[in-house]
Amino acid sequence: MRTPHVVMQVLVAGVAMAIGATSVSAADPDKDPQMRSLLKDARSLIDSRNPVAAIEQCDKVTAAFKAAYDGDKRKIYCARTSEESMLLLLQAAADKKDAVALSSVWSDAYFLKSYALQDLGRIDDAQAAIRLALALSPFSSHYLSEQGSIYLLMKDWPQALLSFQLAEEQAPLGPAVSKGEEIGRARRGQGFVFVELGKLDEAEKKYQQCLATDPKDARAARELKYVQGLKAKRNSSPK
């Protein structure tokens, strides 16, 4: 029987071989710094309230990736961390599928496009874009919370709650630099949904969890105070 260490060595070797065997290595957009530059421009354009131009930059990135990987018989994934990559590739192996994990550039382009589309009020298109991001990176807490936020705009509370719950579950796989914020965002999203559903005890618990993890989470502190005020009014109302 292989030890876990040997299994990991084999998996890592397989990943290296899969990446090395790609037929687009010479013109692989995942290795092209211009793709990251385009995404940086898209973020700046979103911040400067120019979502139309941002979408154009995102579309350049996705077009380059689609052209490069069109016809590739492997399952293409994107991941931000080695933990996300390994989980994706292990899942593909369990499903007996060949797969490769790229960086998050391709999926980030769909994420930023979704964000820009929301700024334009094109919610259905934004939802379609974030779904494309999640198809490439299904374990991204960042994308799952964004999907939850879109469901909030649609007032689809059950789907919003599910998205934020999944985001909380997957947050430990994210980058160390953003892991705490991603956990907080997922929990605050659940708290918001619970308030809308009138489940104030559950909302209070989620905001308390936020503050237990990050005592400086001002948004969670503000929402917790609001929820506790609602509870006090409810409890003081005549039966």
Side-chain angles (χ1 to χ4, degrees), residues 39-56:
L39 290 187
K40 183 178 180 181
D41 290 344
R43 290 188 184 94
S44 296
L45 288 164
I46 290 172
D47 290 341
S48 61
R49 300 180 184 276
N50 192 347
V52 173
I55 290 170
E56 292 175 357

Side-chain angles (χ1 to χ4, degrees), residues 12-231:
V12 172
V15 173
M17 289 176 63
I19 295 174
T22 178
S23 61
V24 296
S25 58
D28 189 350
D30 202 43
K31 298 178 176 63
D32 185 351
Q34 184 183 6
M35 298 296 106
R36 289 171 173 79
S37 180
L38 287 169
L39 290 187
K40 183 178 180 181
D41 290 344
R43 290 188 184 94
S44 296
L45 288 164
I46 290 172
D47 290 341
S48 61
R49 300 180 184 276
N50 192 347
V52 173
I55 290 170
E56 292 175 357
Q57 300 298 81
C58 293
D59 284 343
K60 292 176 185 177
V61 175
T62 58
F65 275 90
K66 285 189 285 187
Y69 287 94
D70 183 42
D72 197 313
K73 297 185 183 304
R74 298 169 300 175
K75 176 66 178 176
I76 308 298
Y77 287 115
C78 294
R80 301 173 297 165
T81 65
S82 59
E83 290 85 358
E84 285 183 355
S85 295
M86 289 301 172
L87 188 57
L88 289 164
L89 294 174
L90 284 170
Q91 177 177 278
D95 294 336
K96 299 182 179 180
K97 294 180 179 179
D98 291 331
V100 62
L102 308 177
S103 74
S104 64
V105 172
W106 191 357
S107 55
D108 279 344
Y110 285 125
F111 164 78
L112 288 172
K113 182 175 182 177
S114 176
Y115 197 97
L117 286 164
Q118 289 176 67
D119 284 349
L120 293 171
R122 294 166 56 184
I123 305 305
D124 289 342
D125 291 335
Q127 185 182 48
I130 201 63
R131 284 176 174 170
L132 289 171
L134 282 165
L136 290 166
S137 189
F139 298 133
S140 171
S141 174
H142 190 41
Y143 302 160
L144 286 164
S145 280
E146 191 64 23
Q147 179 176 253
S149 295
I150 293 172
Y151 280 126
L152 290 183
L153 294 174
M154 301 170 71
K155 299 187 184 301
D156 188 337
W157 311 129
Q159 287 299 319
L161 182 59
L162 177 60
S163 294
F164 287 123
Q165 288 172 335
L166 290 172
E168 182 179 1
E169 290 177 12
Q170 305 303 339
L173 299 172
V177 67
S178 62
K179 192 176 299 185
E181 171 53 31
E182 290 181 17
I183 291 173
R185 183 185 182 191
R187 288 173 174 169
R188 289 193 303 271
Q190 291 174 68
F192 186 96
V193 174
F194 284 133
V195 171
E196 292 297 324
L197 295 175
K199 297 182 178 182
L200 300 184
D201 290 340
E202 289 89 338
E204 183 179 38
K205 180 179 179 181
K206 277 300 167 186
Y207 291 129
Q208 288 172 336
Q209 287 177 348
C210 289
L211 292 168
T213 301
D214 179 9
K216 296 181 180 180
D217 188 337
R219 285 172 290 182
R222 185 169 56 250
E223 292 302 319
L224 177 60
K225 184 176 180 180
Y226 172 70
V227 169
Q228 290 174 336
L230 291 178
K231 289 182 66 177

